[in-house]
Structure formats: C-alpha cells, structure tokens
Amino acid sequence: MTRRRAFVLALLSVLLVSGCANIPERSNPHAVRNADTAQPQGVVDEPTRGLDPFDLVREFIHKSGNSEAAAMYLTEKGKQGWNGEAAPTIVLDTFDTVPVRDPATVDPGAVSSEAETVVLQVRPVGRLGADHAFVPAIDDQEFDVKVRRQADGQWRIDSPPTTRFVPISDFEASYRAVTVYYFDPNLRVTVPDLRYVTAEPVNGLPSRVVNVLLSGPSDTMRRSVRSPLEGISTRTNVVPDPDGTLVVDLKELGDKTQEQREQIAAQVVLSLQTVTSSRLRLRADGQDLIAGHRDWRLGDLKAYDAPTKPDSDQSGLVVADGRLHSLRDGKPIDGPAGDGGYQVLTAAQSIDGAYLAAVVDTDTGPRLRIGEYGKDMQEVNLEARTMTRPTWLVSTSNEVPAKEVWTVADGNVVRAVRTGDGTWKALQVNASDMTDFGPITELRLSRDGTRAAAVARGRLVVASVVRDNDSVALRAPRRLQPINIVQAIGVDWLSQDTLVVATRQGALPVASLSVDGLKFEVFDRNNLQLPLKAIAAAPDRDVIVTDTAAVSSTSGVGQLWRQHPHGQGRDAIPFYPG
C-alpha cells in the first residue's frame, strides 16, 4: 500500500465518522487534472486554458510543489508577492476554493468582470522546515486570493497566499523522503533522521542527500545525536565516475581517527542507500577515506544498529495473572517474576534480554523492581499510586550491562539508574515541555535512546531525549497525526524511525506511522475483537495486540491478525525487549 493510499483510507474513515460537516456551503465544481498524472518537477506545463478563477487557484495549489510551474499562474504583480522557493506548508488534498460569503467585505476594485476574489480554505498537516524535516501541525486556514483576467482572456492570480501550500499527494510527487544517519551520544548506535529533498532532477538526488547529511541533524534532533561529520564539507558535487561508481569526495577531515572515519563511512553509505544502487567511492582530501578501502557497499559496514535489535532467541514475554510467561512456549519464566513471588502488573526486558524491570503490586501501591532475568529483583526508591509500563535505555557498550529504566510515576517521567554499588536510584526527567499535552499514560523509549513516544489524553506525542551532563530532558514534543489519532491507548517502536499505535477508534484500531507522522498506514482490523488493551512491536517481529478476546499478532499492514498460541488470554500484556 502506498503512503498516499494509506493516508487517504485513514482520512476517509475519519470523514465517514464526522459526516458532512466539512462540506462547504458554496463550492464550485472543478475539472482539474488528476495529481497522479501531473508532470514531475522539471517538466513545466502552462496552466490549463479556460479555467475559471476557482479552478485556476485549485490548479495553482496543485502545481505549487514545482515553483517554476506555479509561477506561470501569477501576474507580474503576483510573482513579486510570492516566494516559490519558500519551504512548503503541506495541506490535505481536500482543500476548497469558494466565493466570498459576504461580498460587502470585499474591496470593490477586486470584484468585476475582470477581477474576482477566491476564498482558499486549506487544512495544513505540517510544514517542511529549513532543515528539510517535516514538522507536524494542524490548523484550518482561509485566505482571500485575488484573481485578474488578462488581455488574452485567461485568469491569473494577482495576490497569491504568502504561504506556499502544497497538497500532500503533490508533495509526495515533488519531494523524496530520505533518511540520513547520525549517532547516539555514545557514538555506538546509528540514528535515522527523516528528511525531504526535491525529487527532480533524479541524477542530483545523491548530491542533495549528502548536502542535507553534512548540514547536520534536524532541529529537533540536534541536541540528541552526534555527528563525526560535523565541520566537514565536500570538495566536489557527488557525481559518478566513468565506470558508474558514485564519488563522494570530502574535505577538512583533519586528524580523524580510523574509528571516526569508519563512522563517517557508515553515515554516508547508509544515507545514500535508498537513492542509489551504485558502488560508492569515499574519498577524503583527495585520498581514500580509509586506506586500502576504495569502494563501499552496504555490506562493508559494521552493524551499527545491532544493539537496537533483540536477538532472534528473544521471543518476547507476556504478563498474565501476575506472572511473566514466555511467548515462545507459554511457560512461566524462572524466578519470582514467573513463579508468583511478585504480583507483576507490567514489565519490560532489556534489549539484550539479560535484565528485567517490573511494576509489581504491593499493599502500599505499585513499586518498581529491577534485576537480572530469572532472579530476585531490587526495589527502587520510588513510591507512587500509578506507574506506566517500564522501558529500557540501550546499553552504552557490549561490555556494560543496561543501566537505565524509564517509567511515568504519578504523571512524572522518572528514570531509574544503576549506581556504582549496584543499586538503583530514581531520578526525575525534565518533561516540562510535555505539560500542555496532559498526563502521560504510556511511554516508550526508542531502542537507540534518542527519542521517546508517549500517549497523553489519547494523543500520540514524540519528543527528543536531550542529555546534558547528569540531567535528562524531553524536548521538542510533536503531536503526530492529530486528525486521525485521537483515542490512542498504546504505542511501541517497530523500528528506530517507525511507530505502531493502538487506539479505541473502530475505524483504525492499529496504525503504523513514521517518526515524523507524515507516513501513515492503517492495519487490517479483521479478526480483532475491539477495543484493544495493549500493543507491542520490535524490529523484524510481528506486531502484537491484546483485544477483548485474546492476544493476536500480524506480520504487517494488510495481513490478517491471528491469535497467538501462547498469548495467555484477554487480560495479558505482551512485550518485546526494549
């Protein structure tokens, strides 16, 4: 299923629920060519002849992904007031061009047989920032667009909107989603950063991607990741050699170590993997980036994302009747978490599988316990009336065990940290930027530790994790898919840059979305007994949910849900390491 089709299906489900409230009272019919058949950027068509003012404005908006094409819809005066190079604001495809409701408010000089005022009604879903990243937002907007008849009888726009609006389907046709890569604060794990560059001309894509990579992390991730490429530029454009090998020639590397050069190679190769199938020739100051290694492919890199992926033998666990069971065979695990020694409410397993964190029920309320898998678990100095399901931070190295667990206790985001003597201490996370979203009922750290996904008052929010010496904060929170996701109950990370969310909404009980919220796909609801109670996901694993009948799993969007043979019933809470 394409991104556009998935988005439209989700939107239709919302519109069916909301009925006809959004149909304008006076909307002119239009005969604009389908966006799917529009010419790609770089091929410029003149405006369709004979368009009335309303259809002219519609076609102009559809063409705004290509600034050269859009400029042809403007008068000379209009061109002076429109910035075709401005970062676009992305709107729903269902925008309207309607007459002015109260003609008395219109400038008399703007209404005649030679002039017309068109009211443009749009619903933005977000904008493209100067950093080439998508910033979600929602806000109905309305603009008066003045249109004037030219000497040849054709209408042209005299005063266009000051904002460059691009419908989402046209944005997807004009821009290419690319993922550039940086590193976590410990320089151990690669972190994807989703960006958007113009799709045409195609042969310039690699160069545009490298330029975005070298410009640094997106604004929301700038304080959460590190880049060994900082301060480095290119000697030439990214161009192919006569043998077809794509050459990336860097400069100003100075005294970078072998390890840093390997990290740089990983950043470049990973960032270019989706825009070229050519071999890459990585050079630095005129020489091979790494001596003796001239050309690169994806298979030449270290598995920098390995720490974020649970091993194949980690099948996942499930909480049922106060005990932890294995999802592999349904048997209770060893130790007090599995034999009833603790009354487990929710739990989490470290990514390497070696440690557990569990919220357990006690006579004085829920308490957080942490310990080795299958053994006794220490109680953390944290008292609260409510605690969310724990979530683990990735370990800082292969030699150091996982040492940080997060939860939300009585609405406060807390991290339990292993101390030097092996005990665990609870420390508060600065989540003041999240206050406006309301109390957090679900929190999941990304498996690279640089982001956190949360459910707050039914809304899905993603924030960046910023570490400054000994303090940790959640910054730059963004609400994802605010039109479609309004009754979320659970969230988890399917990959480092993809989320799955469970909702109480019958039309979309489970959805997958990119970390910036632009890509959105709805899972098949067949075989589910709604409403849902829990959701779990991990890289290369089935998505698992608990409904009113059982624990069910699916391999992906468009696939049927099947009851899990070891799901432990309708009150179970499944989870994967992380």
Side-chain angles (χ1 to χ4, degrees):
M1 182 181 291
T2 65
R3 276 192 308 178
R4 182 188 173 196
R5 288 176 181 168
F7 184 92
V8 170
L9 286 175
L11 178 61
L12 284 175
S13 68
V14 174
L15 293 178
L16 286 172
V17 173
S18 59
C20 300
N22 293 324
I23 298 176
E25 295 178 3
R26 301 173 64 191
S27 183
N28 284 19
H30 55 90
V32 181
R33 285 166 294 175
N34 190 301
D36 289 337
T37 61
Q39 293 293 326
Q41 189 166 358
V43 180
V44 179
D45 288 337
E46 292 188 0
T48 302
R49 293 188 64 81
L51 291 178
D52 64 33
F54 301 93
D55 283 348
L56 179 82
V57 174
R58 291 189 67 86
E59 194 170 275
F60 165 73
I61 295 298
H62 277 297
K63 292 289 187 178
S64 291
N66 181 335
S67 58
E68 184 179 354
M72 300 179 73
Y73 291 74
L74 308 175
T75 64
E76 289 303 317
K77 175 185 174 183
K79 291 176 183 178
Q80 297 174 9
W82 188 70
N83 182 6
E85 302 304 317
T89 291
I90 303 155
V91 301
L92 293 182
D93 291 337
T94 52
F95 64 91
D96 288 296
T97 54
V98 299
V100 176
R101 283 193 171 89
D102 183 4
T105 64
V106 179
D107 179 3
V111 180
S112 70
S113 61
E114 305 301 317
E116 178 75 73
T117 296
V118 176
V119 179
L120 172 65
Q121 298 171 337
V122 295
R123 195 170 199 188
V125 296
R127 60 179 175 80
L128 201 62
D131 57 353
H132 296 269
F134 174 73
V135 181
I138 190 71
D139 181 24
D140 292 347
Q141 296 184 24
E142 188 173 284
F143 298 88
D144 289 347
V145 180
K146 293 181 174 59
V147 183
R148 190 169 297 278
R149 194 191 302 272
Q150 304 300 286
D152 62 357
Q154 302 301 308
W155 292 91
R156 292 295 181 264
I157 298 170
D158 216 31
S159 61
T162 54
T163 302
R164 183 181 169 214
F165 294 115
V166 179
I168 188 166
S169 58
D170 298 291
F171 176 80
E172 291 173 351
S174 301
Y175 286 80
R176 176 76 174 266
V178 297
T179 305
V180 293
Y181 286 80
Y182 302 99
F183 279 85
D184 75 308
N186 297 302
L187 292 172
R188 183 190 184 201
V189 178
T190 46
V191 179
D193 195 2
L194 189 56
R195 315 288 266 280
Y196 299 85
V197 298
T198 53
E200 300 288 344
V202 173
N203 59 6
L205 262 175
S207 191
R208 293 195 290 278
V209 171
V210 169
N211 288 339
V212 169
L213 172 66
L214 295 179
S215 71
S218 59
D219 292 343
T220 58
M221 294 299 292
R222 198 168 298 276
R223 297 174 60 193
S224 302
V225 295
R226 295 174 62 185
S227 177
L229 278 165
E230 185 175 358
I232 293 174
S233 57
T234 53
R235 299 176 72 217
T236 63
N237 288 335
V238 179
V239 294
D241 259 5
D243 64 359
T245 303
L246 203 61
V247 180
V248 182
D249 199 352
L250 304 172
K251 66 178 180 180
E252 300 168 354
L253 266 72
D255 57 354
K256 295 287 187 182
T257 65
Q258 176 82 2
E259 182 180 18
Q260 289 172 323
R261 288 170 181 257
E262 290 177 354
Q263 292 166 341
I264 288 171
Q267 288 184 267
V268 175
V269 174
L270 288 171
S271 299
L272 288 173
Q273 64 180 318
T274 60
V275 297
T276 182
S277 57
S278 301
R279 295 192 309 275
L280 299 179
R281 187 160 295 152
L282 305 186
R283 301 178 66 79
D285 299 313
Q287 306 296 320
D288 289 342
L289 174 65
I290 294 179
H293 198 146
R294 189 185 188 202
D295 295 343
W296 292 77
R297 288 193 181 275
L298 200 59
D300 297 324
L301 303 177
K302 295 179 182 178
Y304 285 103
D305 64 344
T308 70
K309 297 180 177 180
D311 292 339
S312 58
D313 61 347
Q314 302 295 332
S315 58
L317 301 172
V318 59
V319 179
D321 298 323
R323 304 183 183 198
L324 287 181
H325 301 254
S326 169
L327 281 171
R328 176 182 291 110
D329 55 19
K331 296 179 180 179
I333 70 169
D334 293 336
D339 65 15
Y342 305 134
Q343 186 64 24
V344 180
L345 299 173
T346 60
Q349 186 178 18
S350 61
I351 298 176
D352 61 7
Y355 285 83
L356 288 174
V359 176
V360 302
D361 192 19
T362 73
D363 293 339
T364 56
R367 294 293 179 266
L368 179 64
R369 286 184 174 271
I370 305 175
E372 291 185 53
Y373 183 92
K375 297 184 179 180
D376 290 343
M377 304 164 70
Q378 298 178 28
E379 185 174 305
V380 181
N381 62 327
L382 177 63
E383 296 184 2
R385 296 181 301 277
T386 62
M387 286 189 197
T388 63
R389 182 162 64 109
T391 179
W392 283 88
L393 178 70
V394 64
S395 174
T396 55
S397 74
N398 290 330
E399 294 74 31
V400 177
K403 59 182 181 181
E404 188 168 310
V405 175
W406 288 39
T407 185
V408 181
D410 288 346
N412 298 309
V413 182
V414 176
R415 59 190 183 105
V417 179
R418 188 199 304 270
T419 64
D421 61 5
T423 59
W424 294 82
K425 181 180 180 181
L427 302 171
Q428 188 158 336
V429 174
N430 182 351
S432 57
D433 287 2
M434 301 280 288
T435 302
D436 290 344
F437 294 99
I440 298 172
T441 53
E442 181 88 352
L443 180 75
R444 310 302 303 158
L445 282 174
S446 61
R447 288 181 173 86
D448 54 38
T450 62
R451 300 178 175 100
V455 173
R457 287 183 180 166
R459 296 172 288 186
L460 179 60
V461 181
V462 169
S464 302
V465 177
V466 176
R467 295 179 179 271
D468 184 12
N469 297 323
D470 293 330
S471 67
V472 181
L474 293 177
R475 299 297 187 198
R478 292 84 70 196
R479 184 182 175 188
L480 306 188
Q481 284 289 327
I483 295 175
N484 291 308
I485 300 174
V486 294
Q487 295 181 34
I489 57 96
V491 64
D492 212 340
W493 293 89
L494 186 61
S495 68
Q496 289 174 272
D497 56 2
T498 306
L499 294 159
V500 289
V501 59
T503 81
R504 291 192 179 91
Q505 300 163 227
L508 49 102
V510 182
S512 166
L513 62 164
S514 57
V515 71
D516 63 1
L518 186 56
K519 180 180 178 181
F520 183 75
E521 297 179 297
V522 180
F523 282 71
D524 194 322
R525 58 166 289 171
N526 288 334
N527 294 346
L528 292 179
Q529 303 297 315
L530 305 180
L532 300 182
K533 300 178 181 179
I535 189 167
D540 306 320
R541 305 294 177 90
D542 286 355
V543 176
I544 303 179
V545 299
T546 304
D547 61 20
T548 58
V551 172
S552 297
S553 65
T554 185
S555 58
V557 173
Q559 303 299 311
L560 289 177
W561 294 91
R562 301 185 185 278
Q563 288 193 10
H564 197 289
H566 307 298
Q568 305 299 316
R570 64 183 185 181
D571 294 321
I573 303 175
F575 59 92
Y576 291 115

